[in-house]
Amino acid sequence: MQNDRIGCRSEQECIDIQNGKEYECHLFPVCAAAFLEEIKMVVFHTDLDNTIIYSYKHEIGAVKRSVEMYQGREISFITEYTYQLLQQVREKMLVVPTSTRSIEQYRRIDLGVGAFPYALVCNGGILLADGKRDDSWYRASLALIGRSEEELEKALHFLEKDVRRKFELRFIERLFVFTKCREPKQTVDNLREVLDTELVDVFHNGEKVYVVPRDLNKGKAVQRFREYIHADFVIAAGDSEFDIPMLRDADEGLAPYGFAEEYGV
């Protein structure tokens, strides 16, 4: 059964990505609370899907809350325990949801703890401040990925004609490419053969296929937001390949047990 702990997927301990040491993750509500209280500005960047919320396809137990509706259906949930912890964490630090979700997808989520002052979506390419898009942040993101534009166009051209594609082809906010494919691993391998992987990352999560500029990652977003908000200490939690740069660039990284071995970090 899915564990209630934020950032965990089993009863085993989390891995501290930065220091390689194991510790129990009860999501520092209390984790190092005394230490954190001495720091003026603590920021907690948390991924959403499979880190603190889960699709209806995942078994997380009966004691849970619905956090996302789509076409009249409840499609994502948070455990009651995680919900309670999240409220405590918000009292200790600035929580910044940091997700690959689009603006529209992010706005469907209601965690029930009130609106977050800031959120980073589209893999950190877009900053929402009090729910509104920060245009200067977005312009800076476009400038940041300028050298990858040609490879993104190549990816669009390739996937447009690929018979394995089973979903519409999306160029999310002109920041990265997304679709769904049959035989996703083979599709990714083929894309890597035709694209410059020094400029773009190509990977899949199940049937979902992504082509993302190397300069557009959550780690870069954490660095930029640290400067933007003048953070003294940054914590990050995540569960997937998308989250590796963020976990590395935070002062403390929280990930599921076995994550370091799975991704070789």
Side-chain angles (χ1 to χ4, degrees):
M1 185 176 74
Q2 197 81 30
N3 191 348
D4 287 339
R5 296 173 184 171
I6 297 179
C8 299
R9 288 190 287 192
S10 75
E11 289 296 329
Q12 302 176 75
E13 295 174 336
C14 285
I15 297 298
D16 181 328
I17 295 297
Q18 293 294 94
N19 301 316
K21 61 187 178 184
E22 297 184 354
Y23 63 101
E24 290 190 2
C25 169
H26 290 279
L27 197 71
F28 33 78
V30 236
C31 174
F35 168 67
L36 295 174
E37 285 175 0
E38 296 176 3
I39 303 174
K40 292 181 180 179
M41 171 57 74
V42 181
V43 176
F44 174 45
H45 290 274
T46 179
D47 176 52
L48 294 171
D49 297 276
N50 300 319
T51 298
I52 61 172
I53 68 172
Y54 298 88
S55 159
Y56 66 92
K57 298 176 183 178
H58 292 262
E59 175 52 55
I60 61 172
V63 187
K64 61 188 178 183
R65 291 170 175 255
S66 173
V67 295
E68 181 179 14
M69 296 283 293
Y70 182 62
Q71 295 181 342
R73 295 187 302 120
E74 296 178 331
I75 63 170
S76 295
F77 297 85
I78 188 171
T79 67
E80 182 66 27
Y81 187 61
T82 297
Y83 168 76
Q84 297 294 337
L85 288 177
L86 190 57
Q87 292 186 88
Q88 294 178 53
V89 171
R90 289 200 68 184
E91 296 174 2
K92 302 286 184 181
M93 61 196 76
L94 176 65
V95 178
V96 182
T98 304
S99 174
T100 306
R101 282 181 174 238
S102 67
I103 296 175
E104 178 185 0
Q105 291 169 332
Y106 171 73
R107 286 177 173 160
R108 289 203 303 253
I109 296 173
D110 180 2
L111 295 176
V113 296
F116 294 96
Y118 299 98
L120 286 161
V121 297
C122 296
N123 218 39
I126 291 179
L127 171 66
L128 300 178
D130 292 325
K132 297 180 181 178
R133 177 186 184 131
D134 186 312
D135 290 333
S136 62
W137 183 282
Y138 177 60
R139 287 193 297 271
S141 297
L142 290 176
L144 197 63
I145 67 169
R147 68 192 188 111
S148 302
E149 285 183 9
E150 186 175 338
E151 299 309 303
L152 293 173
E153 293 293 339
K154 285 182 186 177
L156 288 167
H157 183 72
F158 180 93
L159 289 167
E160 188 174 34
K161 297 181 178 181
D162 196 321
V163 295
R164 294 165 296 192
R165 183 166 59 84
K166 55 179 287 189
F167 187 71
E168 65 184 359
L169 187 55
R170 294 181 179 176
F171 194 9
I172 308 294
E173 300 286 351
R174 300 196 63 80
L175 293 170
F176 63 91
V177 175
F178 165 78
T179 191
K180 297 179 183 179
C181 294
R182 292 177 287 273
E183 303 176 15
K185 184 181 184 304
Q186 185 180 358
T187 302
V188 166
D189 290 341
N190 294 155
L191 279 165
R192 286 173 176 165
E193 291 171 0
V194 300
L195 299 177
D196 185 346
T197 54
E198 294 289 317
L199 298 176
V200 292
D201 279 320
V202 186
F203 48 90
H204 73 94
N205 182 0
E207 63 185 5
K208 298 176 182 178
V209 173
Y210 299 87
V211 182
V212 183
R214 283 194 174 270
D215 292 323
L216 182 76
N217 62 65
K218 292 184 180 181
K220 180 70 72 173
V222 164
Q223 293 172 20
R224 293 169 64 191
F225 193 77
R226 188 194 290 264
E227 295 178 6
Y228 176 92
I229 205 71
H230 305 297
D232 298 305
F233 194 81
V234 175
I235 304 164
D239 73 291
S240 74
E241 192 171 356
F242 276 113
D243 302 312
I244 293 172
M246 174 171 73
L247 297 172
R248 282 178 168 155
D249 283 309
D251 297 303
E252 288 288 342
L254 304 176
Y257 182 81
F259 183 93
E261 289 183 2
E262 181 179 355
Y263 291 104
V265 296

